[in-house]
Structures are given as structure tokens and as C-alpha cells.
Amino acid sequence: MTTTAVRTPFAGLRRDQYVLKQWVDIGPRPADGSRGRAAAHYVGVLRRIAAARIRCHGLGSLTDEVMLLVSELVTNAVLHSGTRKIGLEMAVKDGFLDIAVIDGMPGVAMLKEADEDAESGRGLALVQMVVKEHGGAWGTRDAGGTTWCRLAVPEEAEE
């Protein structure tokens, strides 16, 4: 007996649709204030889920950019917010792919200059460069509880 997998072809990108709504519970912050490997694990999990979802929605040409943006925004939420839950939402609206990371904690993410030998501190600069290159923008809302960015959807994906 032979079994054949049948893959249903994607019908194409539909305008103004949610691509992803995903929440993860990263647990309480340890007493020493650090986030361990367990919390950092969710950065990779959300990055891979985001990449799969955008490919399923006909936005595969943005995979590398989305993986970088999700990594940077989720890492910031894990390291700096103190929250127990992080949400990732992606939606296509008005010709843009909107990405939002929700931690629900007040405090505004701010771009800063990193020393040339610093091992961290360049994440939001990368976010700014990528979104600018793709005709987008980034910022915060809800008193800093959400950090968002948007990328223009390539014309070939809109067909």
C-alpha cells in the first residue's frame, strides 16, 4: 500500500488579513533578575513560527527580514520587560506587513548608540535599518507595552 501526501496550493495573499496571533508564557523572572535559556528559547520558537506563517501567506520573499525583526523585538521583550507573557501578531494591512510584539509592560523601547566593542545594544538599530529599506517604520504604542514595525508588501506578493 502506498500513501501519497497531497499539498493544497496556497490561493494567494488576501488583503487585510491576520497572518499570526501567538502568545507564549515565558514564566517568571528568576530572583537574580536574569532570563535563562528557557525564556530565550521562545525567541527561536516565535521566529520559526513567524517564518512559516509568512511563507504560508505568500510572503516568502520577506522571510529573512521577518525572522530578524521578530528575533530583535522578542529578545527586547524577554530581556527588558519583566513580563511573563509575550504576544506576537502579524497582519497584512493596506499594503504593509505589520509586526507587533506585545509584552504589556510600560516603558518605551529606544534606539541607542552601542560602543563598537559592545556585545549587545544594536537590535533596534537593525530594526530601523530593515524597515527603512522596505519602506516601513517602527515604534511603540500602549505606553510601550507594544513594539511594532511594518514592511511594505512586495508587489509580486499582492497578486
PDB file of all heavy atoms in Angstrom, residues 25-55:
ATOM      1  N   ASP A  25       4.014  31.870  27.172  1.00  0.00           N
ATOM      2  CA  ASP A  25       4.235  32.137  28.584  1.00  0.00           C
ATOM      3  C   ASP A  25       5.700  31.847  28.860  1.00  0.00           C
ATOM      4  O   ASP A  25       6.125  30.696  28.814  1.00  0.00           O
ATOM      5  CB  ASP A  25       3.334  31.252  29.435  1.00  0.00           C
ATOM      6  CG  ASP A  25       3.427  31.555  30.917  1.00  0.00           C
ATOM      7  OD1 ASP A  25       4.321  32.340  31.319  1.00  0.00           O
ATOM      8  OD2 ASP A  25       2.611  31.019  31.662  1.00  0.00           O
ATOM      9  N   ILE A  26       6.479  32.895  29.142  1.00  0.00           N
ATOM     10  CA  ILE A  26       7.910  32.708  29.357  1.00  0.00           C
ATOM     11  C   ILE A  26       8.252  32.516  30.824  1.00  0.00           C
ATOM     12  O   ILE A  26       9.406  32.331  31.173  1.00  0.00           O
ATOM     13  CB  ILE A  26       8.738  33.860  28.756  1.00  0.00           C
ATOM     14  CG1 ILE A  26       8.406  35.192  29.414  1.00  0.00           C
ATOM     15  CG2 ILE A  26       8.559  33.909  27.256  1.00  0.00           C
ATOM     16  CD1 ILE A  26       9.327  36.320  29.003  1.00  0.00           C
ATOM     17  N   GLY A  27       7.243  32.553  31.684  1.00  0.00           N
ATOM     18  CA  GLY A  27       7.450  32.294  33.102  1.00  0.00           C
ATOM     19  C   GLY A  27       7.987  33.493  33.853  1.00  0.00           C
ATOM     20  O   GLY A  27       8.307  34.520  33.271  1.00  0.00           O
ATOM     21  N   PRO A  28       8.079  33.349  35.168  1.00  0.00           N
ATOM     22  CA  PRO A  28       8.548  34.469  35.991  1.00  0.00           C
ATOM     23  C   PRO A  28      10.040  34.713  35.818  1.00  0.00           C
ATOM     24  O   PRO A  28      10.790  33.812  35.467  1.00  0.00           O
ATOM     25  CB  PRO A  28       8.231  34.011  37.413  1.00  0.00           C
ATOM     26  CG  PRO A  28       8.237  32.527  37.341  1.00  0.00           C
ATOM     27  CD  PRO A  28       7.739  32.171  35.956  1.00  0.00           C
ATOM     28  N   ARG A  29      10.435  35.941  36.071  1.00  0.00           N
ATOM     29  CA  ARG A  29      11.861  36.295  36.040  1.00  0.00           C
ATOM     30  C   ARG A  29      12.516  35.707  37.285  1.00  0.00           C
ATOM     31  O   ARG A  29      12.007  35.871  38.390  1.00  0.00           O
ATOM     32  CB  ARG A  29      12.009  37.805  36.019  1.00  0.00           C
ATOM     33  CG  ARG A  29      13.453  38.268  35.862  1.00  0.00           C
ATOM     34  CD  ARG A  29      13.538  39.777  35.802  1.00  0.00           C
ATOM     35  NE  ARG A  29      12.980  40.340  34.603  1.00  0.00           N
ATOM     36  CZ  ARG A  29      13.673  40.573  33.492  1.00  0.00           C
ATOM     37  NH1 ARG A  29      14.950  40.284  33.443  1.00  0.00           N
ATOM     38  NH2 ARG A  29      13.091  41.103  32.447  1.00  0.00           N
ATOM     39  N   PRO A  30      13.657  35.025  37.131  1.00  0.00           N
ATOM     40  CA  PRO A  30      14.356  34.472  38.303  1.00  0.00           C
ATOM     41  C   PRO A  30      14.753  35.568  39.291  1.00  0.00           C
ATOM     42  O   PRO A  30      14.847  36.738  38.931  1.00  0.00           O
ATOM     43  CB  PRO A  30      15.595  33.812  37.689  1.00  0.00           C
ATOM     44  CG  PRO A  30      15.274  33.607  36.248  1.00  0.00           C
ATOM     45  CD  PRO A  30      14.325  34.699  35.883  1.00  0.00           C
ATOM     46  N   ALA A  31      15.027  35.177  40.525  1.00  0.00           N
ATOM     47  CA  ALA A  31      15.365  36.125  41.590  1.00  0.00           C
ATOM     48  C   ALA A  31      16.582  36.975  41.254  1.00  0.00           C
ATOM     49  O   ALA A  31      16.677  38.128  41.669  1.00  0.00           O
ATOM     50  CB  ALA A  31      15.604  35.372  42.891  1.00  0.00           C
ATOM     51  N   ASP A  32      17.515  36.436  40.447  1.00  0.00           N
ATOM     52  CA  ASP A  32      18.707  37.212  40.106  1.00  0.00           C
ATOM     53  C   ASP A  32      18.439  38.237  39.004  1.00  0.00           C
ATOM     54  O   ASP A  32      19.329  38.980  38.604  1.00  0.00           O
ATOM     55  CB  ASP A  32      19.870  36.299  39.711  1.00  0.00           C
ATOM     56  CG  ASP A  32      19.631  35.532  38.417  1.00  0.00           C
ATOM     57  OD1 ASP A  32      18.577  35.715  37.770  1.00  0.00           O
ATOM     58  OD2 ASP A  32      20.521  34.732  38.054  1.00  0.00           O
ATOM     59  N   GLY A  33      17.190  38.283  38.502  1.00  0.00           N
ATOM     60  CA  GLY A  33      16.814  39.278  37.505  1.00  0.00           C
ATOM     61  C   GLY A  33      17.134  38.901  36.073  1.00  0.00           C
ATOM     62  O   GLY A  33      16.740  39.584  35.142  1.00  0.00           O
ATOM     63  N   SER A  34      17.835  37.806  35.869  1.00  0.00           N
ATOM     64  CA  SER A  34      18.213  37.402  34.506  1.00  0.00           C
ATOM     65  C   SER A  34      17.101  36.569  33.874  1.00  0.00           C
ATOM     66  O   SER A  34      16.197  36.090  34.541  1.00  0.00           O
ATOM     67  CB  SER A  34      19.498  36.586  34.548  1.00  0.00           C
ATOM     68  OG  SER A  34      19.247  35.346  35.189  1.00  0.00           O
ATOM     69  N   ARG A  35      17.186  36.426  32.595  1.00  0.00           N
ATOM     70  CA  ARG A  35      16.307  35.497  31.886  1.00  0.00           C
ATOM     71  C   ARG A  35      17.170  34.342  31.432  1.00  0.00           C
ATOM     72  O   ARG A  35      18.207  34.525  30.817  1.00  0.00           O
ATOM     73  CB  ARG A  35      15.675  36.151  30.661  1.00  0.00           C
ATOM     74  CG  ARG A  35      14.610  37.144  30.988  1.00  0.00           C
ATOM     75  CD  ARG A  35      13.369  36.436  31.479  1.00  0.00           C
ATOM     76  NE  ARG A  35      12.281  37.408  31.531  1.00  0.00           N
ATOM     77  CZ  ARG A  35      11.113  37.155  32.013  1.00  0.00           C
ATOM     78  NH1 ARG A  35      10.832  35.986  32.507  1.00  0.00           N
ATOM     79  NH2 ARG A  35      10.185  38.068  32.017  1.00  0.00           N
ATOM     80  N   GLY A  36      16.746  33.156  31.740  1.00  0.00           N
ATOM     81  CA  GLY A  36      17.541  31.977  31.418  1.00  0.00           C
ATOM     82  C   GLY A  36      17.296  31.469  30.015  1.00  0.00           C
ATOM     83  O   GLY A  36      16.623  32.082  29.199  1.00  0.00           O
ATOM     84  N   ARG A  37      17.867  30.299  29.773  1.00  0.00           N
ATOM     85  CA  ARG A  37      17.751  29.674  28.457  1.00  0.00           C
ATOM     86  C   ARG A  37      16.312  29.337  28.124  1.00  0.00           C
ATOM     87  O   ARG A  37      15.922  29.358  26.975  1.00  0.00           O
ATOM     88  CB  ARG A  37      18.609  28.421  28.405  1.00  0.00           C
ATOM     89  CG  ARG A  37      20.070  28.758  28.362  1.00  0.00           C
ATOM     90  CD  ARG A  37      20.975  27.575  28.432  1.00  0.00           C
ATOM     91  NE  ARG A  37      20.450  26.362  27.854  1.00  0.00           N
ATOM     92  CZ  ARG A  37      21.124  25.237  27.780  1.00  0.00           C
ATOM     93  NH1 ARG A  37      22.342  25.182  28.262  1.00  0.00           N
ATOM     94  NH2 ARG A  37      20.587  24.155  27.256  1.00  0.00           N
ATOM     95  N   ALA A  38      15.517  29.028  29.129  1.00  0.00           N
ATOM     96  CA  ALA A  38      14.121  28.669  28.866  1.00  0.00           C
ATOM     97  C   ALA A  38      13.371  29.834  28.225  1.00  0.00           C
ATOM     98  O   ALA A  38      12.634  29.654  27.261  1.00  0.00           O
ATOM     99  CB  ALA A  38      13.439  28.243  30.163  1.00  0.00           C
ATOM    100  N   ALA A  39      13.562  31.043  28.750  1.00  0.00           N
ATOM    101  CA  ALA A  39      12.894  32.210  28.172  1.00  0.00           C
ATOM    102  C   ALA A  39      13.474  32.535  26.805  1.00  0.00           C
ATOM    103  O   ALA A  39      12.739  32.866  25.864  1.00  0.00           O
ATOM    104  CB  ALA A  39      13.023  33.413  29.099  1.00  0.00           C
ATOM    105  N   ALA A  40      14.789  32.446  26.660  1.00  0.00           N
ATOM    106  CA  ALA A  40      15.438  32.740  25.383  1.00  0.00           C
ATOM    107  C   ALA A  40      14.998  31.748  24.306  1.00  0.00           C
ATOM    108  O   ALA A  40      14.953  32.095  23.122  1.00  0.00           O
ATOM    109  CB  ALA A  40      16.951  32.718  25.548  1.00  0.00           C
ATOM    110  N   HIS A  41      14.646  30.560  24.701  1.00  0.00           N
ATOM    111  CA  HIS A  41      14.158  29.534  23.773  1.00  0.00           C
ATOM    112  C   HIS A  41      12.969  30.047  22.962  1.00  0.00           C
ATOM    113  O   HIS A  41      12.831  29.745  21.782  1.00  0.00           O
ATOM    114  CB  HIS A  41      13.788  28.287  24.577  1.00  0.00           C
ATOM    115  CG  HIS A  41      12.929  27.309  23.867  1.00  0.00           C
ATOM    116  ND1 HIS A  41      13.431  26.433  22.942  1.00  0.00           N
ATOM    117  CD2 HIS A  41      11.588  27.069  23.936  1.00  0.00           C
ATOM    118  CE1 HIS A  41      12.435  25.687  22.476  1.00  0.00           C
ATOM    119  NE2 HIS A  41      11.318  26.048  23.064  1.00  0.00           N
ATOM    120  N   TYR A  42      12.118  30.855  23.592  1.00  0.00           N
ATOM    121  CA  TYR A  42      10.920  31.336  22.910  1.00  0.00           C
ATOM    122  C   TYR A  42      11.216  32.317  21.791  1.00  0.00           C
ATOM    123  O   TYR A  42      10.404  32.487  20.893  1.00  0.00           O
ATOM    124  CB  TYR A  42       9.939  31.937  23.917  1.00  0.00           C
ATOM    125  CG  TYR A  42       9.292  30.853  24.743  1.00  0.00           C
ATOM    126  CD1 TYR A  42       9.633  30.686  26.070  1.00  0.00           C
ATOM    127  CD2 TYR A  42       8.390  29.979  24.166  1.00  0.00           C
ATOM    128  CE1 TYR A  42       9.058  29.673  26.814  1.00  0.00           C
ATOM    129  CE2 TYR A  42       7.813  28.959  24.908  1.00  0.00           C
ATOM    130  CZ  TYR A  42       8.159  28.808  26.232  1.00  0.00           C
ATOM    131  OH  TYR A  42       7.603  27.799  26.955  1.00  0.00           O
ATOM    132  N   VAL A  43      12.380  32.943  21.813  1.00  0.00           N
ATOM    133  CA  VAL A  43      12.767  33.816  20.698  1.00  0.00           C
ATOM    134  C   VAL A  43      12.838  32.983  19.422  1.00  0.00           C
ATOM    135  O   VAL A  43      12.245  33.332  18.397  1.00  0.00           O
ATOM    136  CB  VAL A  43      14.109  34.527  20.974  1.00  0.00           C
ATOM    137  CG1 VAL A  43      14.549  35.329  19.754  1.00  0.00           C
ATOM    138  CG2 VAL A  43      14.005  35.417  22.202  1.00  0.00           C
ATOM    139  N   GLY A  44      13.544  31.870  19.488  1.00  0.00           N
ATOM    140  CA  GLY A  44      13.665  30.991  18.328  1.00  0.00           C
ATOM    141  C   GLY A  44      12.346  30.365  17.925  1.00  0.00           C
ATOM    142  O   GLY A  44      12.049  30.229  16.732  1.00  0.00           O
ATOM    143  N   VAL A  45      11.536  29.990  18.903  1.00  0.00           N
ATOM    144  CA  VAL A  45      10.232  29.393  18.610  1.00  0.00           C
ATOM    145  C   VAL A  45       9.361  30.384  17.838  1.00  0.00           C
ATOM    146  O   VAL A  45       8.797  30.054  16.782  1.00  0.00           O
ATOM    147  CB  VAL A  45       9.524  28.946  19.913  1.00  0.00           C
ATOM    148  CG1 VAL A  45       8.074  28.593  19.660  1.00  0.00           C
ATOM    149  CG2 VAL A  45      10.264  27.783  20.551  1.00  0.00           C
ATOM    150  N   LEU A  46       9.246  31.605  18.343  1.00  0.00           N
ATOM    151  CA  LEU A  46       8.414  32.603  17.667  1.00  0.00           C
ATOM    152  C   LEU A  46       8.978  32.977  16.304  1.00  0.00           C
ATOM    153  O   LEU A  46       8.225  33.226  15.359  1.00  0.00           O
ATOM    154  CB  LEU A  46       8.228  33.839  18.544  1.00  0.00           C
ATOM    155  CG  LEU A  46       7.319  33.623  19.746  1.00  0.00           C
ATOM    156  CD1 LEU A  46       7.332  34.839  20.662  1.00  0.00           C
ATOM    157  CD2 LEU A  46       5.890  33.292  19.321  1.00  0.00           C
ATOM    158  N   ARG A  47      10.285  33.024  16.182  1.00  0.00           N
ATOM    159  CA  ARG A  47      10.910  33.328  14.888  1.00  0.00           C
ATOM    160  C   ARG A  47      10.542  32.267  13.850  1.00  0.00           C
ATOM    161  O   ARG A  47      10.163  32.589  12.722  1.00  0.00           O
ATOM    162  CB  ARG A  47      12.431  33.413  15.066  1.00  0.00           C
ATOM    163  CG  ARG A  47      13.173  33.729  13.794  1.00  0.00           C
ATOM    164  CD  ARG A  47      14.681  33.826  14.000  1.00  0.00           C
ATOM    165  NE  ARG A  47      15.211  32.605  14.584  1.00  0.00           N
ATOM    166  CZ  ARG A  47      15.894  32.558  15.722  1.00  0.00           C
ATOM    167  NH1 ARG A  47      16.136  33.646  16.415  1.00  0.00           N
ATOM    168  NH2 ARG A  47      16.347  31.409  16.173  1.00  0.00           N
ATOM    169  N   ARG A  48      10.623  30.994  14.234  1.00  0.00           N
ATOM    170  CA  ARG A  48      10.304  29.920  13.286  1.00  0.00           C
ATOM    171  C   ARG A  48       8.818  29.886  12.943  1.00  0.00           C
ATOM    172  O   ARG A  48       8.441  29.656  11.794  1.00  0.00           O
ATOM    173  CB  ARG A  48      10.774  28.577  13.846  1.00  0.00           C
ATOM    174  CG  ARG A  48      12.288  28.435  13.815  1.00  0.00           C
ATOM    175  CD  ARG A  48      12.758  27.058  14.223  1.00  0.00           C
ATOM    176  NE  ARG A  48      12.437  26.700  15.591  1.00  0.00           N
ATOM    177  CZ  ARG A  48      13.159  27.058  16.654  1.00  0.00           C
ATOM    178  NH1 ARG A  48      14.237  27.798  16.496  1.00  0.00           N
ATOM    179  NH2 ARG A  48      12.804  26.675  17.865  1.00  0.00           N
ATOM    180  N   ILE A  49       7.956  30.128  13.929  1.00  0.00           N
ATOM    181  CA  ILE A  49       6.516  30.176  13.658  1.00  0.00           C
ATOM    182  C   ILE A  49       6.205  31.320  12.697  1.00  0.00           C
ATOM    183  O   ILE A  49       5.452  31.150  11.735  1.00  0.00           O
ATOM    184  CB  ILE A  49       5.712  30.328  14.966  1.00  0.00           C
ATOM    185  CG1 ILE A  49       5.820  29.056  15.805  1.00  0.00           C
ATOM    186  CG2 ILE A  49       4.259  30.669  14.679  1.00  0.00           C
ATOM    187  CD1 ILE A  49       5.272  29.197  17.220  1.00  0.00           C
ATOM    188  N   ALA A  50       6.798  32.486  12.937  1.00  0.00           N
ATOM    189  CA  ALA A  50       6.569  33.645  12.069  1.00  0.00           C
ATOM    190  C   ALA A  50       7.013  33.356  10.645  1.00  0.00           C
ATOM    191  O   ALA A  50       6.298  33.673   9.684  1.00  0.00           O
ATOM    192  CB  ALA A  50       7.293  34.870  12.617  1.00  0.00           C
ATOM    193  N   ALA A  51       8.178  32.748  10.487  1.00  0.00           N
ATOM    194  CA  ALA A  51       8.686  32.432   9.148  1.00  0.00           C
ATOM    195  C   ALA A  51       7.747  31.478   8.416  1.00  0.00           C
ATOM    196  O   ALA A  51       7.445  31.674   7.230  1.00  0.00           O
ATOM    197  CB  ALA A  51      10.088  31.840   9.244  1.00  0.00           C
ATOM    198  N   ALA A  52       7.277  30.467   9.105  1.00  0.00           N
ATOM    199  CA  ALA A  52       6.359  29.508   8.476  1.00  0.00           C
ATOM    200  C   ALA A  52       5.054  30.179   8.069  1.00  0.00           C
ATOM    201  O   ALA A  52       4.534  29.944   6.976  1.00  0.00           O
ATOM    202  CB  ALA A  52       6.085  28.342   9.433  1.00  0.00           C
ATOM    203  N   ARG A  53       4.516  31.026   8.928  1.00  0.00           N
ATOM    204  CA  ARG A  53       3.238  31.687   8.635  1.00  0.00           C
ATOM    205  C   ARG A  53       3.342  32.653   7.452  1.00  0.00           C
ATOM    206  O   ARG A  53       2.434  32.716   6.631  1.00  0.00           O
ATOM    207  CB  ARG A  53       2.717  32.418   9.859  1.00  0.00           C
ATOM    208  CG  ARG A  53       2.371  31.510  11.021  1.00  0.00           C
ATOM    209  CD  ARG A  53       1.236  30.586  10.712  1.00  0.00           C
ATOM    210  NE  ARG A  53       0.050  31.400  10.472  1.00  0.00           N
ATOM    211  CZ  ARG A  53      -1.096  30.943  10.016  1.00  0.00           C
ATOM    212  NH1 ARG A  53      -1.232  29.676   9.745  1.00  0.00           N
ATOM    213  NH2 ARG A  53      -2.111  31.735   9.821  1.00  0.00           N
ATOM    214  N   ILE A  54       4.438  33.404   7.362  1.00  0.00           N
ATOM    215  CA  ILE A  54       4.514  34.329   6.228  1.00  0.00           C
ATOM    216  C   ILE A  54       4.705  33.582   4.921  1.00  0.00           C
ATOM    217  O   ILE A  54       4.179  34.006   3.888  1.00  0.00           O
ATOM    218  CB  ILE A  54       5.576  35.435   6.409  1.00  0.00           C
ATOM    219  CG1 ILE A  54       6.961  34.860   6.467  1.00  0.00           C
ATOM    220  CG2 ILE A  54       5.274  36.309   7.592  1.00  0.00           C
ATOM    221  CD1 ILE A  54       8.024  35.877   6.182  1.00  0.00           C
ATOM    222  N   ARG A  55       5.417  32.463   4.958  1.00  0.00           N
ATOM    223  CA  ARG A  55       5.537  31.652   3.728  1.00  0.00           C
ATOM    224  C   ARG A  55       4.176  31.106   3.328  1.00  0.00           C
ATOM    225  O   ARG A  55       3.837  31.091   2.146  1.00  0.00           O
ATOM    226  CB  ARG A  55       6.549  30.533   3.933  1.00  0.00           C
ATOM    227  CG  ARG A  55       7.984  31.028   3.899  1.00  0.00           C
ATOM    228  CD  ARG A  55       8.986  29.886   3.804  1.00  0.00           C
ATOM    229  NE  ARG A  55       8.953  28.998   4.947  1.00  0.00           N
ATOM    230  CZ  ARG A  55       9.719  29.118   6.019  1.00  0.00           C
ATOM    231  NH1 ARG A  55      10.594  30.096   6.103  1.00  0.00           N
ATOM    232  NH2 ARG A  55       9.629  28.259   7.006  1.00  0.00           N
TER     233      ARG A  55
END
